[in-house]
Each structure stands twice: as structure tokens, then as C-alpha cells.
């Protein structure tokens, strides 16, 4: 198993109504040589939160960015969206509270086809909900 470097920051911005989603911007690279880990899907990421137990926190959307200026080379940087629901089955997505801070652990997992092992890395991020 090889280590991945996962860095995450808030991607919230005050000019958009995002009360249903908290936005993350996550960089994933290889610890041994620093190369970006590209081509990841939502299934390659996991999130944990201190608000678990009452509310279920999930990743509900995301995409990978490309390097500028030509926007043709994947960057290994991902925009992810975090939502929450009440624990009971079928519950509606809950709003995040404007001005509240939320802390998350973010993990990236990649199957290493050469070794058959899973490469893993994780980090933490604190986000202030700016949704209105």
C-alpha cells in the first residue's frame, strides 16, 4: 500500500445559495513523487463528521478540474459536495446552518492495479457554511 497526500479546503463562496450542500476542494497526489492522482470518481472518496449518529453525511456530487491555461490535462484536484440527511430511511436532505462551522475528515482510496492493494490518504477540513 502506498500513501496518498490529501489536502482539502472549503470551496464555499458567499455569492451562491448553497444551503443544501457544503463545497470542498480536494487535492490528491502521491506521497512518493508528488504526481497528481487523476481520474478519481466519487466512489474513491469518503467523508466522516462529528455530527454522525443523528445525521448521515455523504458526498453527493463532484468533478475533477483541469490544469490551466488549456484545460486539457487533469489536475488531480476535485470539487466535492457534502450533504446531510436525518438517519431515518428516506429522510430529506437537511440544510446546513448559515455561519456554522463543520469539521470533516476526507479520505481518498485508489486501487493499485500493479500490487492489488489500496493506496490511501486522508486529511481534515473545517468549513463555514455561507449558504443563505
Amino acid at each position: 500500500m502506498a500513501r496518498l497526500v490529501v489536502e482539502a479546503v472549503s470551496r464555499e463562496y458567499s455569492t451562491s445559495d448553497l444551503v443544501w450542500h457544503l463545497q470542498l476542494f480536494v487535492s490528491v497526489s502521491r506521497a512518493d513523487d508528488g504526481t497528481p492522482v487523476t481520474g478519481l470518481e466519487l466512489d474513491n472518496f469518503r467523508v466522516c463528521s462529528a455530527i454522525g449518529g443523528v445525521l448521515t453525511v455523504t458526498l453527493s456530487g463532484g468533478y475533477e478540474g483541469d490544469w490551466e491555461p488549456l484545460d486539457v490535462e487533469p489536475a488531480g484536484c476535485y470539487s466535492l459536495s457534502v450533504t446531510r440527511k436525518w438517519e431515518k430511511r428516506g429522510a430529506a436532505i437537511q440544510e446546513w446552518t448559515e455561519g456554522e462551522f463543520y469539521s470533516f475528515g476526507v479520505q481518498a482510496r485508489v486501487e493499485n492495479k500493479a500490487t492489488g492493494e489500496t493506496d490511501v490518504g486522508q486529511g481534515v477540513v473545517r468549513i463555514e457554511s455561507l449558504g443563505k
Side-chain angles (χ1 to χ4, degrees):
M1 174 176 11
R3 181 175 178 267
L4 302 177
V5 176
V6 177
E7 298 178 88
V9 296
S10 173
R11 194 177 64 89
E12 292 286 299
Y13 51 98
S14 60
T15 58
S16 180
D17 182 5
L18 297 171
V19 297
W20 307 105
H21 304 271
L22 289 179
Q23 305 297 308
L24 294 173
F25 192 66
V26 180
S27 169
V28 183
S29 59
R30 298 211 171 270
D32 58 351
D33 63 7
T35 58
V37 179
T38 61
L40 300 182
E41 303 283 334
L42 205 53
D43 290 346
N44 294 105
F45 293 95
R46 297 196 303 183
V47 64
C48 73
S49 171
I51 65 172
V54 176
L55 294 167
T56 301
V57 176
T58 60
L59 292 171
S60 59
Y63 62 90
E64 181 176 6
D66 295 325
W67 288 115
E68 300 288 348
L70 300 177
D71 288 340
V72 295
E73 182 185 354
C77 294
Y78 300 85
S79 293
L80 303 174
S81 183
V82 182
T83 57
R84 66 183 183 171
K85 295 181 182 182
W86 291 109
E87 280 290 328
K88 64 182 180 179
R89 193 181 243 306
I93 294 175
Q94 299 297 303
E95 291 183 12
W96 298 95
T97 304
E98 180 181 353
E100 186 68 58
F101 287 91
Y102 300 94
S103 297
F104 298 98
V106 180
Q107 185 180 76
R109 302 171 60 84
V110 180
E111 181 185 343
N112 186 326
K113 294 178 182 170
T115 66
E117 296 179 335
T118 301
D119 299 341
V120 179
Q122 65 186 42
V124 295
V125 62
R126 183 174 183 231
I127 303 173
E128 180 182 8
S129 175
L130 300 178
K132 298 184 170 60

